[in-house]
Amino acid sequence: MPQEPRQHPGQPGWGGQQQQSRRPEAAYEETGAMSAQPYDSPPPHGPRPSHPGQPGPQQSQPVEPGAPGRRRAPGSRRRAPEQETRTYSNEETIASDAPRRSRRAGGGPGGPGGPPAGPPKGGGDKPRWRRFLPSWKLVLATFVVLSGGMLGMIMVAYSLTPVPREDQIQEGVTDQESVIVDRNGVELARLGTKRIPVKYDQVPRPVQDAVIAAENDSFREDSGISFSGMVRSLWSTVSGQQVQGASTITQQMARGYYDGLSQERSIQRKIKEIFVAVKLNKVLPKETILEQYLNTIYFGRGAYGIGAASKAFFGKPVEKLTPEQGAYLAGRIQNPGRFDREEEAGNNGVTEFRYNYVIGQMAKLDPQAYGNLAPKSPKRIKYKPDDPFKGLKGYMVQTVLDELERLDIPKADVYKGGYHVKSSLDLKLMRAARAAVKQHIGNLDPEINATLAAVDPRNGQILAFYAGEDYAKDQWNDAFLSQKQAASAFKPYVLAAWLDAGYSLRSYVPAKGPVKLDGTTPIDNDHSMKTSAVDVVSATASSVNTAYAKMGEKVGLDKVIDIAAQAGLNKDRLEAARKEHHYLLTIGSSTVTAVEQAGGYSIFANQGRHYENHVVIEVKDKDGKTVISEKKTYNQVISPEAAADAVVALEAVVKSGTGRSAALPGRPVAGKTGTNNDNKEAWFVGFTPQVSTAVGLFRQQCRTASGKVVKPKYDNCPWAKGKSTKYTMDNPYSRPYEIPLGPGFQGATYPAAIWKSFMLEATKGQKVVPFPERADAGITENLVPKPTPTPTPTRDTTELDIGDPFDEDDFDVDDCVIGPCGDDDGNVSIDPNQDDVPVDDGLLGGGRNDVPAPSQVRRGER
């Protein structure tokens, strides 16, 4: 044992009481991190001076390794000496029972000239890697701080996330397809997003359970999110059995319904989605959440929402879905696009697998109710992608869209607005129009084309038209777009102007020509007349050009144009015809469309009134509110008396004049024929009190620049030639040209026959309504002297009673006044052999081809 050191008077740290010696290990254990510090540290600025009565510091002696007093690194397992000796002077050696951090004197270990301040770094038995591990206390403190900060940020973010408002929905999420129906409610087309919104109570409980089982089995109880679902989704993804997603129904609804949640895959979006879902779950009932979800999600076959999906896959309303059908639809939510492709390719395995998964999940929800569902998925209806612009319906749909555009509902709005549009068109009559055209010209040269339009004169509703066979192949609508010379079918507007100006039917007009009018080439008739004058009724029945030219001169072309324009004809075209042809306007040099003519004649059928031609009767929005109603106002173009008298003259055309082939058994009919120069166009326009119909024929062919005639493609002249890049739509390979119809084509033949066949269907079941009685209004204005009848041996030679121009005793048939003298419809003259063509069913039925030609086209350039 070392000797106890003696105490020296005045020595600091030494008193009268002797301190017990301690092992250095005890000091290390109690001082912790302090023991890692050197025992002695040099003063900042060298040795401190001695105090009075205290000896100055002495240079320490080196301490041998392993000798008492040697300092060890903390944590060393080797036992250290029980005492540590330090030298204060040459005479004194003291023992310390505890290590010090430093000494005020500079001669200790680590000081100038002293021993090293402990072992070098890395010494001892402690593994090197452990020195880099932080203390568990530090780790715990860091974790607490970070967790608290993150929780705080989450709470702040959650509090700043607003609850979506009712009007804060994504664009397009409530888009609905618009439905267009005909006048009888027959559906013509559905345009836009297929979505039929349904209420929660409309969806059967088994269908609801099927969706919940497939997508979020804890939906009715969870808080809008599902941690178990997230874990299950992760495991399903890892194991390759991805049958259920991590997002709950509430999350999916929030993402797909409300604005502000994008579809991008990011943590930020996912966190926001979770916040919104939790908040929505607090403010919305589960029923509302499920209803919005079922009306939003895509099921395939273009169907959005359970209502549209029920129709698309099973052809029934959602209320009638079976549990199996509900399970099939619920299974499609996961990947509808892929399921569509697989089923279209004939692979039903993927949908069968999904169906079985759903019914299995349903059995877990309610074994008693769903434990015995059919193991095979239910049969679906055949999927036929609908083309709303195909066939006759295509013409109807496009016509309705064109009118909606004019009514400030553009096509883009129709495709998303969920409108219900009721049109005036009748699909049955559209088919009747096509059948009538095919019946009478179907076997003729395909260059010969027909156009037809029917209007209800009582309200201006367009009932039907013929424009072509298939809109998908030929978008040109002849009934609305093809402008052809009206020829003598224009004369009724001159008649209306005459009567409305106050002149009567009893007036006499010239029957012989030619007549010379200012600025106009001489106007003559196509056949000779044995009398120099006829009354207005006879002039109308026999379509006398000279009579109508002088009538137009008397009332003035301004009056004629005004009447025709008010009746619906295009005023600009009327003015252009006057400027170019002057008084030839009175016998039909202006161009018209079939729709204009059918609507124009309504002024005669409906007491002088004209309603604007239209095809839209009513438009309701998706909430059932009426946004467009049919216009009920009309324009009184001529007086009712003038209209009644005009009908008398136009009835004579059908009773005994050029339009006899158009008579309908047991029903009053009035109308007018028309054929222009060289038989390029032929018309018959006629009406009953309920229907006014115009039928026109024309012929066109496709020619190349060299004059070669080529066949049309889908009734259009081909602008391209094979793979040649020489031709463009601006520089086409062929162009359309109008050519004469040929002999045998006048208004009284094929057009009248088509008109009759159509009208038999159009008036079927309608009450027989008579025309108004003759008013016999106006004054007699004789433009030529009254004719003197030629006496015969069997007749009284007294003056004729011109009040009834159709009394057989008044006229000789040979006078060509009311007999079949011809259809004088040309601007100057027409084919004089018109009436040599017999009117019989064989010819009018298309059994003869008088004009051979190599091709057909729908439009022409004159």
Side-chain angles (χ1 to χ4, degrees):
M1 295 289 293
Q3 299 295 324
E4 293 184 2
R6 291 176 299 172
Q7 298 186 14
H8 298 270
Q11 176 77 27
W14 297 92
Q17 184 175 0
Q18 182 175 339
Q19 298 199 16
Q20 298 296 325
S21 63
R22 299 177 60 188
R23 292 185 308 139
E25 290 88 340
Y28 288 121
E29 292 167 1
E30 291 181 6
T31 58
M34 293 174 60
S35 64
Q37 306 299 324
Y39 286 110
D40 299 296
S41 300
H45 303 290
R48 296 181 59 182
S50 301
H51 295 279
Q54 179 178 348
Q58 303 294 324
Q59 179 71 32
S60 299
Q61 298 297 323
V63 180
E64 295 295 333
R70 182 185 177 214
R71 186 164 55 93
R72 293 186 54 82
S76 175
R77 295 175 182 238
R78 194 166 45 147
R79 295 182 60 85
E82 295 183 359
Q83 260 190 352
E84 189 174 349
T85 59
R86 297 181 184 274
T87 303
Y88 273 80
S89 66
N90 292 331
E91 295 90 4
E92 299 174 311
T93 301
I94 62 174
S96 173
D97 62 350
R100 302 183 190 179
R101 289 184 177 273
S102 64
R103 298 190 62 86
R104 297 186 181 274
K121 294 182 179 181
D125 297 334
K126 183 178 180 180
R128 182 182 300 270
W129 62 270
R130 292 188 61 183
R131 284 193 227 101
F132 296 99
L133 293 179
S135 166
W136 66 271
K137 295 180 180 179
L138 181 61
V139 172
L140 178 61
T142 303
F143 176 76
V144 170
V145 171
L146 293 177
S147 298
M150 183 172 294
L151 180 61
M153 288 188 294
I154 291 175
M155 293 179 65
V156 170
Y158 177 78
S159 64
L160 294 178
T161 301
V163 179
R165 303 185 308 271
E166 290 185 7
D167 62 342
Q168 192 180 351
I169 57 178
Q170 294 180 18
E171 182 180 357
V173 75
T174 59
D175 287 358
Q176 298 177 29
E177 62 185 350
S178 292
V179 181
I180 301 176
V181 300
D182 78 347
R183 66 186 300 104
N184 301 312
V186 177
E187 186 175 299
L188 300 178
R190 289 181 174 268
L191 304 174
T193 303
K194 291 184 180 179
R195 181 180 280 116
I196 304 175
V198 297
K199 297 296 184 183
Y200 174 83
D201 294 337
Q202 291 179 259
V203 183
R205 179 65 183 232
V207 179
Q208 298 177 18
D209 289 344
V211 174
I212 291 171
E215 293 296 312
N216 177 196
D217 53 10
S218 64
F219 167 74
R220 299 192 191 275
E221 298 82 24
D222 63 33
S223 61
I225 59 175
S226 173
F227 292 104
S228 62
M230 296 179 188
V231 174
R232 182 172 58 248
S233 175
L234 179 61
W235 168 251
S236 298
T237 302
V238 172
S239 63
Q241 302 175 0
Q242 186 150 358
V243 292
Q244 195 175 74
S247 297
T248 63
I249 286 176
T250 308
Q251 288 175 260
Q252 293 181 57
M253 186 275 287
R255 180 172 65 247
Y257 190 83
Y258 290 103
D259 195 14
L261 288 175
S262 65
Q263 301 294 326
E264 64 177 345
R265 296 178 178 271
S266 67
I267 294 180
Q268 180 181 6
R269 192 273 298 167
K270 193 69 177 179
I271 293 174
K272 187 176 182 181
E273 175 189 300
I274 292 173
F275 291 165
V276 171
V278 173
K279 288 197 170 186
L280 286 174
N281 191 73
K282 291 182 177 181
V283 299
L284 293 180
K286 290 288 187 179
E287 294 81 2
T288 301
I289 294 173
L290 187 59
E291 178 184 307
Q292 291 182 176
Y293 175 74
L294 290 175
N295 282 325
T296 304
I297 51 176
Y298 181 60
F299 285 88
R301 290 193 178 184
Y304 289 83
I306 192 74
S310 178
K311 288 279 190 180
F313 287 91
F314 301 107
K316 60 171 64 175
V318 68
E319 295 90 337
K320 296 184 178 181
L321 287 176
T322 66
E324 287 84 357
Q325 290 170 339
Y328 172 82
L329 292 178
R332 280 189 142 266
I333 297 173
Q334 184 194 53
N335 199 338
R338 181 196 173 195
F339 296 153
D340 277 349
R341 293 190 298 271
E342 295 288 351
E343 288 187 344
E344 186 177 352
N347 178 21
N348 294 320
V350 289
T351 48
E352 287 297 323
F353 171 81
R354 186 67 181 165
Y355 168 77
N356 279 278
Y357 167 76
V358 176
I359 61 175
Q361 292 295 105
M362 292 175 68
K364 293 179 182 179
L365 286 181
D366 191 339
Q368 184 174 0
Y370 308 127
N372 295 311
L373 296 181
K376 184 175 177 59
S377 65
K379 185 178 180 181
R380 282 81 70 186
I381 63 175
K382 187 176 180 180
Y383 180 45
K384 295 180 179 179
D386 184 32
D387 182 359
F389 297 98
K390 186 176 181 180
L392 289 181
K393 287 185 178 181
Y395 290 105
M396 300 169 76
V397 171
Q398 187 59 54
T399 301
V400 171
L401 290 177
D402 290 341
E403 187 164 308
L404 288 174
E405 185 86 32
R406 295 192 294 271
L407 296 172
D408 295 328
I409 301 181
K411 185 176 181 180
D413 289 352
V414 174
Y415 270 70
K416 63 182 181 181
Y419 294 104
H420 186 276
V421 183
K422 183 178 181 180
S423 75
S424 62
L425 298 171
D426 189 325
L427 181 59
K428 179 182 177 182
L429 293 184
M430 290 286 292
R431 290 169 176 162
R434 178 176 62 183
V437 170
K438 284 188 172 182
Q439 175 187 353
H440 296 290
I441 67 168
N443 295 329
L444 297 182
D445 191 281
E447 287 184 352
I448 299 170
N449 297 272
T451 179
L452 179 153
V455 173
D456 188 334
R458 300 166 296 182
N459 47 38
Q461 296 176 3
I462 300 174
L463 304 175
F465 59 88
Y466 179 76
E469 292 293 316
D470 187 352
Y471 183 81
K473 297 177 180 178
D474 177 20
Q475 287 78 48
W476 185 264
N477 190 328
D478 283 310
F480 287 79
L481 301 176
S482 290
Q483 301 169 12
K484 303 299 178 182
Q485 280 192 340
S488 286
F490 184 84
K491 288 175 182 175
Y493 303 112
V494 180
L495 174 65
W498 174 267
L499 297 171
D500 197 62
Y503 303 118
S504 73
L505 292 176
R506 298 178 179 273
S507 301
Y508 275 86
V509 288
K512 288 191 175 183
V515 297
K516 297 180 180 180
L517 303 176
D518 185 34
T520 306
T521 56
I523 297 175
D524 203 350
N525 300 312
D526 74 309
H527 55 274
S528 61
M529 303 290 291
K530 293 184 178 180
T531 182
S532 61
V534 292
D535 69 354
V536 173
V537 175
S538 299
T540 305
S542 296
S543 194
V544 180
N545 288 344
T546 53
Y548 269 86
K550 292 296 289 185
M551 290 165 63
E553 181 188 39
K554 179 65 178 179
V555 299
L557 292 181
D558 285 342
K559 178 72 172 178
V560 174
I561 290 174
D562 181 62
I563 293 290
Q566 289 190 63
L569 275 62
N570 184 278
K571 190 170 184 178
D572 291 339
R573 283 187 259 124
L574 291 168
E575 293 287 359
R578 171 165 64 174
K579 181 178 180 180
E580 183 176 355
H581 302 295
H582 303 286
Y583 284 98
L584 291 177
L585 172 69
T586 61
I587 56 175
S589 65
S590 181
T591 57
V592 295
T593 68
V595 170
E596 288 173 345
Q597 283 289 72
Y601 274 43
S602 66
I603 65 173
F604 309 114
N606 191 26
Q607 304 177 59
R609 302 167 183 167
H610 178 262
Y611 290 85
E612 185 178 355
N613 298 333
H614 60 279
V615 295
V616 175
I617 295 178
E618 183 183 63
V619 179
K620 292 184 177 182
D621 63 15
K622 60 186 177 183
D623 298 321
K625 180 181 177 182
T626 301
V627 294
I628 292 178
S629 298
E630 184 178 19
K631 187 177 179 181
K632 300 293 186 179
T633 59
Y634 59 85
N635 182 25
Q636 190 74 44
V637 181
I638 58 177
S639 67
E641 295 77 15
D645 285 345
V647 170
V648 172
L650 294 173
E651 274 190 293
V653 175
V654 178
K655 286 180 177 179
S656 56
T658 58
R660 295 189 304 277
S661 59
L664 297 177
R667 195 176 290 274
V669 174
K672 186 69 186 75
T673 56
T675 311
N676 77 341
N677 277 359
D678 301 323
N679 290 20
K680 283 188 175 180
E681 287 101 17
W683 291 92
F684 183 79
V685 186
F687 56 91
T688 67
Q690 299 103 321
V691 185
S692 175
T693 300
V695 177
L697 261 64
F698 57 93
R699 179 185 178 191
Q700 297 175 131
Q701 63 181 205
C702 301
R703 298 179 191 168
T704 65
S706 63
K708 178 183 178 182
V709 176
V710 297
K711 291 184 178 181
K713 185 176 182 181
Y714 303 128
D715 293 336
N716 294 294
C717 290
W719 62 266
K721 182 183 180 182
K723 298 181 179 180
S724 173
T725 59
K726 175 182 178 181
Y727 302 103
T728 64
M729 296 189 72
D730 294 328
N731 179 37
Y733 171 62
S734 64
R735 296 177 183 271
Y737 290 86
E738 186 173 0
I739 61 174
L741 284 162
F745 288 90
Q746 289 82 37
T749 56
Y750 293 99
I754 293 172
W755 185 93
K756 181 175 181 177
S757 294
F758 170 78
M759 288 292 285
L760 285 172
E761 290 295 321
T763 60
K764 184 179 293 184
Q766 288 185 344
K767 182 180 178 180
V768 176
V769 179
F771 288 123
E773 293 292 332
R774 175 173 175 168
D776 205 17
I779 64 172
T780 299
E781 177 67 20
N782 293 329
L783 301 182
V784 292
K786 182 179 179 180
T788 302
T790 303
T792 63
T794 59
R795 297 180 59 193
D796 190 349
T797 58
T798 58
E799 187 179 46
L800 290 173
D801 177 13
I802 325 186
D804 184 2
F806 301 106
D807 187 340
E808 291 184 359
D809 293 332
D810 292 340
F811 294 98
D812 191 321
V813 176
D814 293 335
D815 289 341
C816 286
V817 175
I818 61 173
C821 299
D823 184 3
D824 186 4
D825 298 333
N827 289 341
V828 177
S829 64
I830 62 166
D831 181 8
N833 300 316
Q834 169 179 288
D835 292 305
D836 293 339
V837 181
V839 180
D840 59 51
D841 292 339
L843 173 62
L844 297 183
R848 175 177 159 191
N849 188 345
D850 292 308
V851 190
S855 66
Q856 172 190 8
V857 71
R858 302 302 292 265
R859 286 147 225 91
E861 297 175 355
R862 302 197 62 137

